[in-house]
Amino acid sequence: MIANFDQIVETAQNAEGPCEGCPAQADTGGRFVNPGLLNPDGEIMFLTIDPSHYTDWSRYETWEEYNDAKSPMFYDAPGGRALQRLLGPIPGIELSDCWLADAIKCPVNNDLANAEIDSDTAFDHCSSYLTEEIAFVDPQVIVPLGNDPATQLLTHHCGLNIGSIRAGTRDAGTTYDIDPPVVVSPHWSNGWLGKHNNREKVRQAIQQYLTI
C-alpha cells in the first residue's frame, strides 16, 4: 500500500482500511492527511507526530503533485530551515536527501484538529502505514523529532521498554542500534533543536549511520 501514497489519501478520506474507526480520521474526515514529504528514497527519515499544515486535496490529482507543491514551501518554513542547519555540515547530505513523515497521518493535537485526540489510539490505526513506509523508504537512519514521535516509534512500534523520553534535554542525540537505527532529536518548534549543543549531538549521531 505504502508504495502508492495516493492510496493513503483515499483511505483517510473514505475511512477505509487502517483508517476505519480512527478518531483522528473522524475528527477531520481525512482532509489534512499527510502521506509524507520530500524524497521517498531518502537516506534519512525524519518523523514528526502529526500534520500541522493546511491541505486542499481538491487541488492535487496525485500525491506527487502535492509533494511538488508542498516540499518547496517546507524548505522556507521554520522546520525546513532548522533541518537544513542540522544537516549543513554533513558532507553529501541535503534536505532533498531526506524523507519527512508523520507517525500519525491526520492531526491529533494542533490547531487543525477540532478536538484533542488520544495519540496512542490514533497511532494504533496508523502503525501499519509506518511499518510499510519504513520498509519502502528503507532509510539509513530514522530521526524522530520530539518526545511524542520518539515514544510512538520506539515504545509502541518497536516494542522497546525505554520509559519516558526527553528529546529536548537528556535524550537529544541518544541512539538505538536497531534496524534501521534511531536517533532521538528535539523538534524544531520548541527551540531545543536550535541549541548548539543539542544540534551537534544529534548531527554527530546521525552522521555515524550514514554511508554516502
Side-chain angles (χ1 to χ4, degrees), residues 14 31 60 62 67 121 129 151 192:
N14 295 328
R31 288 177 294 123
Y60 311 109
T62 64
N67 192 42
T121 302
Y129 288 137
T151 298
W192 289 103

Side-chain angles (χ1 to χ4, degrees), residues 7 13 23-24 26-27 73 78 111 135 152 170 199 202:
Q7 194 166 357
Q13 293 181 342
D27 183 58
M73 297 168 62
D111 62 358
Q152 296 296 349
R170 177 192 66 199
R199 190 165 58 223
V202 172

